[in-house]
Amino acid sequence: MSRIITSSSDGGIRVGGHTKVSEGRVLRRFKRDKWLYILMMPGLLYFLIFKYVPMWGVALAFKNYQPFTGFWNSEWVGLEHFHNFFQNPDFFRLLNNTLVLSLYNLVFFFPAPIVLALLLNEIRISFYKRTIQTLIYVPHFISMVIVASISYVMLTTEGGVVNEFLFQYSGQKINFLAEPQWFKPLIIIQTIWKECGFGTIIFLAALAGVDVEQYEAAVVDGADRWHQIWHITLPSIRSTIIILLILRMGHVLDNGFEQIYLMTNALNREAADVFDTYVYIMGITQGAFSYSTAVGLFKSVIGVILVLGSNWLSKKFGQSGIY
């Protein structure tokens, strides 16, 4: 049976009803965009080396790893470490602390950059706007060690600025650094102060793409600034907010290690222990490598499920998703 060979509209060769792109065309595209591919290489290598290659290490979660016997010769124990983790009396305490901190982040920290971006967008004098933006970006570049040190200096009961102020006006001091009920609010306040300004960059970029003619039409219809924000600005950046919220769901069980570890002490540990610090304590200080890997894998699996679930839910309600 003869085969029909025709030319296709994209410059390739159609053989038997299927388009075959010539190798020459691929090479021409590569030569044309070679600098873009070269520019992409560092990021691609970073993810390959530090994200994908280390994934083979998750097999530790299913082994009883012993350094002297090596990775391949260690005993295979299956789901034993997961079973021990879920049966551990500390599991529900860790889960509660982690989820409460994540809930605080979603309720208080996540909307903060949006509100701040909306306020900055209303400033019409460019000099003031740039100055304020610079000032609120600076904390992002301060080390968390410095942030923790500032918190200790301001909140300590021995000469701290905040407690000295409270003592003068109420006659008593509050041990913010040691009382468990103050730990989570303190972490959220630190996070908002340090990251809120930098988080506005994405939302300010989204606001820059809003059609100015919509505001002009709203003014003609008699809408004030509040109605313009509610009916024009927020709907215009809704897709950006939803995408960032979906990505945020992947970090529900990830509260960050450094900040929590620096602010934890013997008196507030009951409220401060989360999965991140637990992995460090079990894996590094106690040498339970397989057990801590199982805990980390549990966090990752839950994060993937939450991202996929929130993305599906977003599309179910007719909104855009991450794919």
Side-chain angles (χ1 to χ4, degrees):
M1 182 180 295
S2 61
R3 303 180 67 184
I4 300 175
I5 303 177
T6 59
S7 61
S8 61
S9 59
D10 59 0
I13 300 175
R14 185 176 298 277
V15 181
H18 299 281
T19 302
K20 181 181 179 181
V21 181
S22 64
E23 294 182 1
R25 187 183 177 196
V26 175
L27 290 175
R28 286 196 301 271
R29 282 186 175 181
F30 181 79
K31 290 179 180 180
R32 183 191 63 189
D33 302 326
K34 62 181 179 180
W35 293 112
L36 293 178
Y37 289 110
I38 293 174
L39 186 65
M40 181 182 67
M41 288 305 296
L44 182 63
L45 290 174
Y46 168 79
F47 279 98
L48 286 175
I49 296 173
F50 296 103
K51 299 297 182 180
Y52 286 95
V53 173
M55 287 182 68
W56 65 271
V58 300
L60 279 179
F62 307 97
K63 288 174 171 283
N64 185 19
Y65 175 70
Q66 300 296 331
F68 296 104
T69 58
F71 178 82
W72 300 110
N73 295 325
S74 296
E75 179 188 3
W76 183 272
V77 295
L79 300 176
E80 179 181 338
H81 297 303
F82 295 94
H83 181 268
N84 294 336
F85 175 55
F86 296 140
Q87 294 296 322
N88 193 315
D90 291 331
F91 172 75
F92 287 103
R93 179 173 63 88
L94 295 169
L95 182 64
N96 177 71
N97 290 339
T98 302
L99 291 179
V100 170
L101 268 176
S102 295
L103 179 63
Y104 284 2
N105 269 307
L106 287 174
V107 173
F108 298 106
F109 171 65
F110 183 79
I114 303 173
V115 175
L116 187 56
L118 292 174
L119 294 175
L120 288 172
N121 193 55
E122 295 299 312
I123 299 177
R124 294 293 175 258
I125 303 176
S126 60
F127 172 76
Y128 292 143
K129 184 176 182 178
R130 290 196 302 268
T131 302
I132 295 173
Q133 283 181 273
T134 302
L135 292 176
I136 63 177
Y137 290 167
V138 169
H140 171 78
F141 302 99
I142 299 177
S143 169
M144 186 52 69
V145 177
I146 304 301
V147 175
S149 300
I150 294 173
S151 300
Y152 274 101
V153 171
M154 294 186 64
L155 300 176
T156 180
T157 55
E158 303 299 328
V161 176
V162 175
N163 269 307
E164 289 299 321
F165 178 82
L166 291 175
F167 184 76
Q168 289 182 5
Y169 286 91
S170 64
Q172 58 183 353
K173 297 181 178 181
I174 300 176
N175 196 350
F176 296 100
L177 301 174
E179 296 182 7
Q181 65 268 27
W182 286 103
F183 178 80
K184 294 181 180 68
L186 181 59
I187 292 296
I188 299 303
I189 291 173
Q190 286 180 341
T191 303
I192 292 175
W193 178 79
K194 188 176 186 299
E195 302 296 342
C196 181
F198 194 78
T200 60
I201 293 177
I202 296 177
F203 296 107
L204 285 173
L207 289 171
V210 180
D211 189 2
V212 180
E213 293 183 357
Q214 296 186 45
Y215 293 110
E216 296 173 352
V219 171
V220 172
D221 291 338
D224 56 20
R225 294 303 303 174
W226 168 250
H227 286 92
Q228 293 176 37
I229 292 173
W230 185 256
H231 295 287
I232 299 176
T233 307
L234 286 177
S236 299
I237 64 173
R238 180 167 49 198
S239 60
T240 303
I241 296 174
I242 292 174
I243 289 174
L244 292 178
L245 180 60
I246 292 173
L247 295 176
R248 177 63 196 170
M249 294 303 295
H251 297 278
V252 166
L253 297 185
D254 185 9
N255 300 121
F257 166 76
E258 186 180 9
Q259 181 184 15
I260 304 295
Y261 183 76
L262 290 171
M263 298 304 299
T264 301
N265 54 59
L267 298 177
N268 64 12
R269 187 173 298 278
E270 185 68 21
D273 281 339
V274 294
F275 288 129
D276 297 291
T277 55
Y278 185 71
V279 168
Y280 169 78
I281 293 172
M282 298 302 298
I284 304 300
T285 63
Q286 299 188 20
F289 299 109
S290 294
Y291 182 79
S292 60
T293 303
V295 178
L297 182 58
F298 164 75
K299 287 175 46 187
S300 301
V301 171
I302 296 300
V304 171
I305 293 173
L306 289 175
V307 168
L308 295 178
S310 57
N311 185 76
W312 175 84
L313 194 62
S314 172
K315 290 191 171 184
K316 196 73 173 177
F317 284 95
Q319 303 297 324
S320 59
I322 58 176
Y323 64 87

